[in-house]
Amino acid sequence: MAILVTGGAGYIGSHTVLILLKYGIEVVILDNLCNASHKIINRLEKITNKKLIFIENNIVNRICLKNLFKKYDISTVMHFAALKSINDSLHQPLLYYSNNVTGTIILLEEMLSANIRNFIFSSSATVYGIDSPIPYCETNSIGHTTNPYSTSKLMIEFIIRDFVKVNPSFKAVALRYFNPVGAHESGELGENSTGVPNNLLPYIAQVALGRLKKLNIFGNNYNTPDGTAQRDYLHVIDLAEGHLNVLNHLPKIKGYKVYNFGSGKIFSVLEVIKIFEKISGKKILFEYKPRREGDLPSFWADTSLAKNELGWQAKRDIYTMIRDMWNWYIKNPNGLN
Ligand code: NAD
Ligand code: WQD
């Protein structure tokens, strides 16, 4: 039996593949490399000393999926494959809906025809939208998303929920990730962001490498202790390990379940900058700019459900996250491109 990891050459997918292989779980990776490099497969083989089964293709390719499900004994699909840039989605909504939503529908249809009935989906804390009570709890209502990317995740959660209702032997888990950062301690894997990063930590790293002049801090008049926005950061290895907890818990799951994957701890932009400067010894120049459209002042996860039901909680602290992230960038200043 093997796990199909769609998007397994990506940032979170590759770290999860590493953890699965470490625990002796067979993996098949499907990734079209639209936001990843084939080199990550070589890195994974180097770290694990194993030959990986990697199929370079698109999740919308039904023939590919049918052949893959025929050839490999897949028990579960971990579905990481998606386009994930909020900013890009605002300019290319149809691309995001076709890639993320249509792609997932096709995947589910082909899983059903192949009688593969375990599905673990990478959702996002952004499905809680702009007016959900904080800390975000899985029982909060979801919606009022602010961009096509987050709406694609919201739509997929509804699709999975409705699909499982009429296929009671199907098990599905949606994991709402908060803000994953960091990298494997080897520095062999990491976030391979191309172009100017949207996210805070990769942007800070580019400033530290001298690639970008300064960081624009979007808003310093939020109702937070230092006026800058706060986020719930979690180490990507904690996140990857959490997928093992879900796998082990699958036999007890009935139907469709949702879990927050966050640390429950928040740090502001200024706090992150200070910690980064301490760890890296680099000075990060910054300038305050107006708030970024769609940004919230502060949100974090209620982590109790994942802790009580999955026995999972984030363990690594913000210093470890930033130290491992910076180690990746020092070793791979140009990413893997
Ligand atoms: P990533 O871009 O590094 O990984 C996604 C991978 O999927 C890439 O390797 C890409 O090449 C592949 N892919 C995309 N569309 C595909 C398609 N149609 N067919 C085959 N492969 C395809 O992103 P990530 O940060 O690793 O995110 C993984 C998942 O987690 C995504 O679903 C994302 O929406 C979700 N997520 C990410 C974050 C975050 O901040 N990184 C937060 C919440 C949720
Ligand atoms: C964090 C904080 C910014 C960049 C992320 C992903 C999004 C989604 C959810 C997938 C915010 C501030 C940032 C910069 C800044 N992932 N910031 N200057 O916004 O919480 O969303 O998680 O579901 O794709 O982006 O994370 O890293 O973009 O921003 O001041 O150049 O840093 O305003 O307060 P965010 P982020």
Side-chain angles (χ1 to χ4, degrees):
M1 300 289 257
I3 310 280
L4 171 63
V5 181
T6 73
Y11 172 47
I12 302 172
S14 59
H15 284 86
T16 305
V17 164
L18 191 64
I19 297 299
L20 295 175
L21 292 170
K22 180 180 160 190
Y23 284 86
I25 295 170
E26 292 295 310
V27 165
V28 174
I29 299 170
L30 171 62
D31 196 310
N32 67 356
L33 301 182
C34 70
N35 195 37
S37 160
H38 187 279
K39 290 177 188 161
I40 214 77
I41 304 298
N42 307 334
R43 294 284 181 92
L44 281 167
E45 291 182 329
K46 179 181 162 195
I47 301 171
T48 60
N49 196 22
K50 290 183 176 174
K51 186 85 187 93
L52 294 188
I53 302 169
F54 169 60
I55 295 147
E56 183 179 348
N57 216 312
N58 193 316
I59 55 170
V60 299
N61 184 330
R62 287 183 190 274
I63 306 296
C64 167
L65 290 172
K66 288 179 195 303
N67 292 337
L68 189 156
F69 291 149
K70 217 178 277 156
K71 182 171 183 184
Y72 301 104
D73 184 11
I74 303 294
S75 66
T76 303
V77 174
M78 285 189 181
H79 181 33
F80 295 92
L83 298 174
K84 63 157 180 177
S85 163
I86 286 183
N87 195 36
D88 292 352
S89 78
L90 290 165
H91 304 292
Q92 305 180 87
L94 285 186
L95 173 66
Y96 269 67
Y97 290 127
S98 63
N99 190 76
N100 295 359
V101 181
T102 310
T104 305
I105 292 172
I106 290 169
L107 180 61
L108 288 171
E109 286 175 333
E110 295 307 325
M111 282 177 67
L112 199 56
S113 341
N115 200 28
I116 297 165
R117 296 172 176 269
N118 297 321
F119 189 60
I120 300 171
F121 169 61
S122 303
S123 190
S124 164
T126 55
V127 303
Y128 286 108
I130 47 177
D131 46 18
S132 196
I134 297 166
Y136 290 160
C137 176
E138 291 86 349
T139 50
N140 286 14
S141 59
I142 56 177
H144 299 166
T145 42
T146 59
N147 60 82
Y149 161 76
S150 305
T151 307
S152 77
K153 291 295 182 179
L154 179 73
M155 289 164 79
I156 295 168
E157 283 205 17
F158 291 148
I159 289 165
I160 299 169
R161 178 201 62 190
D162 296 342
F163 176 73
V164 171
K165 258 187 211 143
V166 294
N167 292 282
S169 63
F170 208 93
K171 293 174 187 237
V173 176
L175 300 173
R176 293 174 182 161
Y177 304 157
F178 281 68
N179 289 58
V181 294
H184 184 252
E185 61 193 5
S186 65
E188 293 291 319
L189 300 180
E191 186 164 11
N192 192 35
S193 45
T194 47
V196 177
N198 293 309
N199 297 143
L200 179 64
L201 272 301
Y203 201 107
I204 289 176
Q206 296 301 329
V207 173
L209 290 168
R211 287 269 160 68
L212 295 168
K213 258 175 78 248
K214 63 177 167 46
L215 171 71
N216 297 316
I217 298 182
F218 301 132
N220 68 327
N221 60 352
Y222 285 109
N223 182 17
T224 60
D226 63 19
T228 63
Q230 300 165 313
R231 289 292 181 273
D232 175 333
Y233 298 102
L234 75 158
H235 199 294
V236 67
I237 294 289
D238 279 331
L239 186 53
E241 288 174 347
H243 289 73
L244 208 55
N245 291 63
V246 174
L247 266 188
N248 294 333
H249 188 70
L250 267 180
K252 296 196 193 96
I253 286 191
K254 295 215 172 349
Y256 173 55
K257 282 290 284 184
V258 174
Y259 294 99
N260 286 336
F261 266 17
S263 66
K265 297 187 183 74
I266 48 175
F267 292 89
S268 73
V269 176
L270 282 176
E271 286 171 326
V272 167
I273 291 170
K274 283 197 187 76
I275 294 167
F276 181 87
E277 288 180 332
K278 195 155 172 250
I279 289 170
S280 64
K282 299 278 186 180
K283 185 84 188 111
I284 300 297
L285 291 180
F286 63 80
E287 186 181 343
Y288 291 119
K289 295 282 185 184
R291 297 179 179 187
R292 183 171 64 173
E293 191 199 346
D295 270 359
L296 296 174
S298 180
F299 60 83
W300 64 96
D302 175 330
T303 59
S304 49
L305 194 65
K307 187 175 175 204
N308 299 335
E309 291 191 4
L310 303 176
W312 176 83
Q313 58 183 357
K315 298 191 296 267
R316 294 162 178 87
D317 65 17
I318 191 76
Y319 294 89
T320 309
M321 291 179 220
I322 293 177
R323 185 202 65 205
D324 291 345
M325 180 275 281
W326 182 231
N327 182 44
W328 155 256
Y329 280 101
I330 294 173
K331 291 190 170 179
N332 307 273
N334 300 314
L336 289 178
N337 306 316

